[in-house]
Amino acid sequence: MEKRKNRYMELKRKPFQGVLNILSFNRHFYVIGLSILLILFLSKNSIDWNTLVFWGIVSAFIYGLIMPLIISAYVYDFSGYYDFNWLNISKLQTLHIVNINAGFDETSFILKNKLPNSKLNVFDFYNPKSHTEPAIIRARKVSAIYPNTQQISTKRIPLKDNSVDTVFLLSAAHEIRSHIEKIEFLKECKRICKKDGTVILVEHLRDFPNFLAFSIGFTHFFSRKTWIKVFKNADFNSYTENKFTPFMSVFKFN
């Protein structure tokens, strides 16, 4: 009974869980931002601020703190992202699927529920030596762990050649910061895929909509050009891209 309850809890997300995750994992940014706002207001007692400059700076900080929460609520809480209806699963080969995360797994239980007859392998490439950002460290502490999840290196996925139908990389691959390491990792994904297999990459991009959403934080993501170059260098032959909301891209590479 307890195992069933835990599994159900992973399938049913809490209201505003996406926003709560952003606040929890990135609370250091919000502490810093709110502290700076407090200092700005206190400084009015000793600095003769130009009114337009003062409120311009205050508005920029408030925008930078609030807009990521609004967009996160839209993408992760109201758009149906975790329903996977955007994926058109019925057209995928799903006899054997792989889901790879970077230490924070919100999708494996859902994928298994959507594809109950598929064999699912879950891998985690989190490396504490290279993935040192506070947000991912905090996320890892509260992440659900799918049964038999294996810790791996980005250099090696412990599966046979040509054995997998679909590899899911859902908002995880951008944690690999090195360009060369990204190519090596995607070559591994290519190696384990069958000849007609597919890698599904879902990512925010370093583009104008995400700049409006996350301001300087959009530099944490990579551009469309970068991802396409990585996949070409990893010997994939073709790709398609669909937008899931203006802020997320769904790439399918073959």
Side-chain angles (χ1 to χ4, degrees):
M1 180 63 71
E2 185 64 26
K3 288 183 178 180
R4 290 182 181 179
K5 181 180 179 181
N6 288 341
R7 184 172 180 272
Y8 175 76
M9 289 172 63
E10 300 309 331
L11 294 174
K12 187 173 179 62
R13 292 170 59 81
K14 298 176 183 177
F16 294 99
Q17 186 170 331
V19 172
L20 293 173
N21 285 344
I22 294 293
L23 283 171
S24 175
F25 304 156
N26 298 283
R27 56 182 177 269
H28 52 295
F29 288 121
Y30 286 89
V31 169
I32 293 171
L34 291 173
S35 297
I36 292 174
L37 281 176
L38 178 61
I39 291 170
L40 280 171
F41 280 103
L42 291 175
S43 72
K44 290 194 73 176
N45 296 323
S46 56
I47 298 176
D48 185 19
W49 282 96
N50 177 283
T51 301
L52 288 177
V53 171
F54 177 81
W55 286 109
I57 294 174
V58 168
S59 298
F61 270 96
I62 292 175
Y63 181 94
L65 292 172
I66 293 178
M67 188 54 67
L69 301 180
I70 294 174
I71 299 304
S72 295
Y74 168 49
V75 173
Y76 297 109
D77 296 316
F78 294 106
S79 68
Y81 176 67
Y82 291 98
D83 293 336
F84 280 91
N85 294 330
W86 48 270
L87 187 54
N88 202 358
I89 285 178
S90 62
K91 292 187 177 182
L92 292 176
Q93 297 293 328
T94 56
L95 185 64
H96 186 183
I97 61 177
V98 167
N99 191 26
I100 305 179
N101 65 76
F104 182 56
D105 186 1
E106 289 191 298
T107 55
S108 292
F109 285 96
I110 300 172
L111 281 173
K112 186 59 179 177
N113 184 63
K114 292 283 185 181
L115 302 166
N117 297 320
S118 299
K119 177 182 178 182
L120 170 62
N121 289 110
V122 180
F123 299 111
D124 172 3
F125 65 71
Y126 172 77
N127 183 341
K129 292 183 178 180
S130 56
H131 303 152
T132 57
E133 293 189 6
I136 192 63
I137 293 173
R138 293 183 185 123
R140 184 170 174 79
K141 290 179 179 179
V142 300
S143 177
I145 300 177
Y146 189 83
N148 300 316
T149 296
Q150 290 182 254
Q151 197 75 32
I152 63 169
S153 162
T154 53
K155 296 182 179 180
R156 181 67 182 174
I157 301 173
L159 291 174
K160 295 180 180 179
D161 295 1
N162 307 315
S163 61
V164 174
D165 294 294
T166 305
V167 176
F168 292 95
L169 301 173
L170 305 175
S171 299
H174 67 272
E175 298 295 348
I176 304 173
R177 308 310 296 174
S178 163
H179 186 74
I180 294 176
E181 186 180 0
K182 283 198 290 289
I183 294 172
E184 292 176 343
F185 175 63
L186 269 300
K187 282 185 176 181
E188 271 296 283
C189 293
K190 173 71 172 177
R191 178 187 65 79
I192 66 173
C193 278
K194 297 176 182 177
K195 290 184 179 180
D196 58 349
T198 303
V199 172
I200 296 176
L201 175 86
V202 180
E203 286 287 347
H204 292 281
L205 298 180
R206 190 182 295 181
D207 57 12
F208 186 65
N210 281 293
F211 170 71
L212 293 179
F214 302 106
S215 61
I216 193 65
F218 91 132
T219 58
H220 184 59
F221 308 119
F222 295 98
S223 67
R224 175 184 293 103
K225 182 179 179 181
T226 294
W227 284 119
I228 292 172
K229 183 177 181 181
V230 166
F231 273 83
K232 285 183 177 179
N233 289 339
D235 300 325
F236 286 85
N237 299 315
S238 63
Y239 76 93
T240 61
E241 179 191 3
N242 294 304
K243 296 298 290 187
F244 176 74
T245 78
F247 309 99
M248 296 277 274
S249 287
V250 181
F251 293 99
K252 295 180 182 179
F253 292 89
N254 302 95

